[in-house]
Amino acid sequence: MKLEDTINSVNIADHLSEDQLVEIGTQVVEGYNTDEKSRGEWNDNIEQWTKMALQISEEKSYPWPKASNIKFPLLSTAAMQFAARAYPTLVPSDGKVVKCKVTGSDMDGEKTRRALRISKHMSYQLTCEMEEWEEDMDRLLVVLPIVGTVFKKTYFDPEKGRNTSCLVMPKNLVVNYWTKNLDDCERVTEIHEFSKRKVTEKMNRGLYRKVDLGDPSLQEKEVSKSDPHKMAIPQEDETTPYTILEQHTFLDLDEDGYPEPYVVIVDLATKEVLRIAPRFTSEDVDVKEDGKVVSINPQSYYTKYSFFPNPDGGFYDIGFGRLIGPINASVDTIINQLIDAGSLSNLQSGFLGKGLRLKLGETRFTPGEWKSVNATGDDLKKQIFPLPVREPSQVLFKLLELLAQSAKELASVAEIFVGKMPGQNTPATTTMASIEQGMKLFTAVYKRVYRSMGKEFQKLYKLNKMYMNPEEEVAVLDEPIQQSDYMGDEKDIVPAADPNASSQQERQAKAEKLLQLLSLGTINPQEVTIRLLEALEEPAIEKLLLQQPPPNPEAQKMQMEMQMKQTESQHDIQMAQAKMQLEAASKEQEMRQKERIMQMDLEYKRQEAVLKARVAELEAQQNMQASQMQHSMSLQQQQENHQMEMMKGADKHQMEMRKAAVQTKKGRSTKTKKE
């Protein structure tokens, strides 16, 4: 088939050969079985989490028949707490579910008016026309925290003649476990169960091929583990449904080597292809100049709602079932052990010796009853041996408290969040801060749900663009809307709910803080009032706001004249004030100039006095140095004179000594000569 023929065909399967249909049917069923096998372990976990959340108690045979089997509601409480907070936050009671943003310049306000029309119309569609939407959202917010992943399918239903966005349970949408992204997935399979009457209706409408599927038969499956009553598998009758596979996959029907996106509907039992429809339009096809197809953008029908991303990289995200399920199972085990220990301690048992002459068989006592036996008290003590049992362990009880507290912290289910009042002396600010910190986990999940809701609303926006009658005007709250309003970008569509406001009280607190800022005069009072009324979820806000009548032209003219006179008088007053300020500034400048001159004179005189004192000090230092030099020189001269005199005296003494020595020598020589 040519690509144009596949786009315009109602059911492509009517134009294919039998061999092609057999090949496609086999391919669809084999792909479904492969994907179902990849998530087998996850399916088993779903059964356990569902049974735990439903508080289903089965009869136990260990450690004895009909032993205690209490189910502690940790998982159930966490799921109900999340749903109770998320539902009124994400789906407000005033019906404002969708919000259209305004991007770019909007000088004339036309974009704002268009955004308002789209917001009202899409909110009306979801809450009024699509009757199943709000109920499915309620169910989604209960299932999501338990399982971790839920899906919504948004499409145009030709049987209802309108857009539909219905809930798809995670077990009914089969995707390979290691798929990364739902939009880029190569194969997505939804499991339907249609009765024979519904399949016949679809064949009569031309939606399905008219083929003989035989009588529907029950698929081989075990009794549900979550069934508390062990109900038998229903018998085959006229209401037994067919198991129909709706697979969103890729097929190369035009044989150009590039597979195109299609929706293939196959009966699982017979592998008969019932319908093949394209998942694209001519606008989604990217073609080269030579006519060769480059790529095709497939239309995505499904939106994935995520609770907490899977750390192992798998497609199916995790919820409280995986996070606190093991802790819940441990708590159940400890509680049952404590109860069984109490039963053993209260209802004693033991051994009877053969020496005690009693009738064999079971013997029971009623309160206040005494039985007569043919034995003495000493024989009773010797022949009756009770089993040694212990009372319920305090250690197990402490461990139970620890596990329960850990699970509550993980699920953010504290006492203050379930309605219990804090201490009497606890300040309100402390209580609000504690609630805010405890709501961090819920706020993060709200943002993920908020993001998924935006994608779902964008799909609905595209459907309105494609299927809304161009000549039809829909009056929603006195705002007519046409198909031309939906020709903008679908990325402007976002949910109206605030993901950061987790409760009505918090939204009201934010609006009341805006009221406190009105005194600054920089905030629009009417806009603040509108936001406060929206936080209070008051319907028909427009009726509560005062509608001001148009002003009288004469009164407006008189008001303008008065404003002009007032402006002139204010101008004169401002000029006079400016003149006075200028004169005062001039006088002040002159005074400052005189003060500067006086300060300069004083500074000059001070510096001159300092210089004179410095010169006098230098002269005194010079005179002192001169006198010191003269004194030192006179002392030196005196020392030199004294030394000279001493030297002269010494020389004279030496001369005299020499003369005396010479005379002595002469006397001795004369005496010698005489002798």
Side-chain angles (χ1 to χ4, degrees), residues 226-465:
S226 61
D227 186 0
H229 303 294
K230 297 289 184 180
M231 296 179 65
I233 297 177
Q235 300 296 321
E236 296 181 359
D237 56 13
E238 63 276 3
T239 62
T240 301
Y242 291 101
T243 301
I244 306 297
L245 303 180
E246 177 185 342
Q247 189 171 105
H248 295 228
T249 185
F250 295 84
L251 302 172
D252 187 12
L253 298 183
D254 58 356
E255 298 180 354
D256 63 345
Y258 179 79
E260 305 87 33
Y262 295 99
V263 178
V264 184
I265 300 178
V266 178
D267 176 52
L268 178 60
T270 61
K271 299 182 182 180
E272 285 283 353
V273 178
L274 301 177
R275 177 181 173 84
I276 300 178
R279 280 197 299 140
F280 61 96
T281 62
S282 57
E283 298 177 355
D284 299 323
V285 182
D286 185 10
V287 184
K288 286 185 177 180
E289 295 180 356
D290 57 359
K292 186 176 180 180
V293 176
V294 177
S295 63
I296 299 177
N297 184 27
Q299 296 177 357
S300 178
Y301 294 0
Y302 299 99
T303 303
K304 177 185 176 183
Y305 281 79
S306 172
F307 189 81
F308 190 81
N310 196 338
D312 67 359
F315 174 76
Y316 295 96
D317 296 325
I318 62 177
F320 284 141
R322 186 179 293 275
L323 293 175
I324 65 177
I327 300 178
N328 203 154
S330 300
V331 170
D332 294 344
T333 301
I334 294 175
I335 292 176
N336 293 324
Q337 288 178 351
L338 292 173
I339 293 176
D340 291 340
S343 300
L344 284 175
S345 179
N346 294 333
L347 302 175
Q348 295 185 359
S349 58
F351 299 97
L352 296 176
K354 291 184 178 180
L356 187 61
R357 291 175 290 177
L358 291 175
K359 292 182 180 180
L360 297 178
E362 186 176 354
T363 301
R364 293 182 177 273
F365 287 83
T366 60
E369 180 182 5
W370 295 81
K371 293 183 181 293
S372 59
V373 294
N374 191 12
T376 63
D378 188 54
D379 291 337
L380 290 175
K381 292 181 181 179
K382 293 180 179 179
Q383 300 299 326
I384 297 177
F385 180 76
L387 286 177
V389 295
R390 299 178 60 183
E391 294 182 352
S393 173
Q394 290 294 329
V395 177
L396 283 180
F397 186 74
K398 294 293 184 182
L399 179 59
L400 172 64
E401 291 181 347
L402 176 63
L403 292 177
Q405 183 63 29
S406 299
K408 289 180 179 180
E409 291 176 356
L410 180 60
S412 293
V413 183
E415 291 184 352
I416 196 170
F417 300 138
V418 296
K420 293 187 178 181
M421 297 297 294
Q424 295 181 355
N425 298 325
T426 304
T429 54
T430 304
T431 303
M432 292 299 295
S434 300
I435 294 176
E436 181 182 358
Q437 291 299 320
M439 292 296 292
K440 291 297 184 182
L441 173 63
F442 290 102
T443 303
V445 180
Y446 290 160
K447 287 190 175 182
R448 298 186 189 103
V449 177
Y450 179 89
R451 183 173 62 237
S452 300
M453 288 179 69
K455 294 180 180 179
E456 179 186 352
F457 296 161
Q458 290 172 10
K459 292 181 176 66
L460 180 61
Y461 182 93
K462 290 182 180 179
L463 293 176
N464 288 334
K465 182 191 299 186

Side-chain angles (χ1 to χ4, degrees), residues 28-94:
V28 167
V29 175
E30 289 179 353
Y32 159 74
N33 291 330
T34 300
D35 295 340
E36 184 70 26
K37 185 177 180 181
S38 70
R39 63 174 200 160
E41 183 180 356
W42 180 81
N43 271 329
D44 296 337
N45 291 331
I46 290 289
E47 293 287 348
Q48 297 176 6
W49 302 334
T50 304
K51 182 171 64 175
M52 188 177 297
L54 293 177
Q55 296 290 290
I56 294 173
S57 179
E58 300 175 347
E59 185 175 331
K60 291 175 62 177
S61 59
Y62 180 83
W64 54 76
K66 297 184 179 180
S68 175
N69 192 15
I70 301 296
K71 300 295 182 181
F72 196 75
L74 279 177
L75 181 57
S76 304
T77 303
M80 288 189 295
Q81 287 291 322
F82 173 80
R85 292 184 178 91
Y87 182 57
T89 300
L90 300 174
V91 187
S93 59
D94 58 0

Side-chain angles (χ1 to χ4, degrees), residues 416-617:
I416 196 170
F417 300 138
V418 296
K420 293 187 178 181
M421 297 297 294
Q424 295 181 355
N425 298 325
T426 304
T429 54
T430 304
T431 303
M432 292 299 295
S434 300
I435 294 176
E436 181 182 358
Q437 291 299 320
M439 292 296 292
K440 291 297 184 182
L441 173 63
F442 290 102
T443 303
V445 180
Y446 290 160
K447 287 190 175 182
R448 298 186 189 103
V449 177
Y450 179 89
R451 183 173 62 237
S452 300
M453 288 179 69
K455 294 180 180 179
E456 179 186 352
F457 296 161
Q458 290 172 10
K459 292 181 176 66
L460 180 61
Y461 182 93
K462 290 182 180 179
L463 293 176
N464 288 334
K465 182 191 299 186
M466 295 172 58
Y467 295 103
M468 190 174 178
N469 190 348
E471 300 178 357
E472 179 184 2
E473 287 189 0
V474 181
V476 180
L477 300 177
D478 300 330
E479 289 287 342
I481 188 169
Q482 297 180 350
Q483 188 189 31
S484 59
D485 290 325
Y486 286 95
M487 295 305 164
D489 189 0
E490 65 272 6
K491 296 188 181 299
D492 294 340
I493 303 299
V494 296
D498 182 5
N500 295 318
S502 56
S503 65
Q504 184 180 7
Q505 290 78 10
E506 189 172 350
R507 294 194 296 271
Q508 293 177 9
K510 288 184 177 181
E512 290 174 356
K513 287 182 180 179
L514 290 177
L515 286 176
Q516 299 174 2
L517 299 177
L518 287 178
S519 60
L520 300 177
T522 57
I523 299 180
N524 186 358
Q526 186 174 10
E527 182 65 25
V528 174
T529 305
I530 292 174
R531 295 192 182 185
L532 179 58
L533 293 174
E534 289 177 350
L536 295 173
E537 297 184 359
E538 288 290 339
I541 296 178
E542 295 81 3
K543 297 180 180 179
L544 297 176
L545 299 176
L546 293 176
Q547 301 295 333
Q548 298 180 356
N552 189 356
E554 294 294 333
Q556 190 174 9
K557 182 178 179 181
M558 293 178 61
Q559 184 178 4
M560 291 180 63
E561 291 177 355
M562 292 179 63
Q563 289 179 353
M564 290 180 62
K565 292 180 180 179
Q566 186 178 3
T567 303
E568 291 177 357
S569 62
Q570 289 179 354
H571 178 70
D572 294 339
I573 293 173
Q574 290 176 356
M575 290 293 294
Q577 290 178 350
K579 186 176 180 180
M580 292 175 62
Q581 291 176 357
L582 184 62
E583 292 177 355
S586 177
K587 292 180 180 180
E588 185 178 0
Q589 185 69 22
E590 290 178 359
M591 293 178 64
R592 289 181 179 177
Q593 187 70 22
K594 291 180 180 180
E595 289 180 356
R596 289 197 192 96
I597 293 173
M598 292 176 64
Q599 289 177 357
M600 291 175 64
D601 291 339
L602 292 174
E603 182 68 18
Y604 175 76
K605 292 179 180 180
R606 186 183 67 80
Q607 291 181 359
E608 184 178 8
V610 171
L611 289 174
K612 289 181 178 179
R614 182 63 176 167
V615 169
E617 183 180 356

Side-chain angles (χ1 to χ4, degrees), residues 621-639:
Q621 290 179 357
Q622 289 179 355
N623 294 331
M624 185 179 295
Q625 290 177 357
S627 61
Q628 289 177 355
M629 289 179 65
Q630 291 177 359
H631 180 67
S632 60
M633 289 177 65
S634 61
L635 290 176
Q636 186 175 4
Q637 186 66 32
Q638 290 177 2
Q639 290 178 357

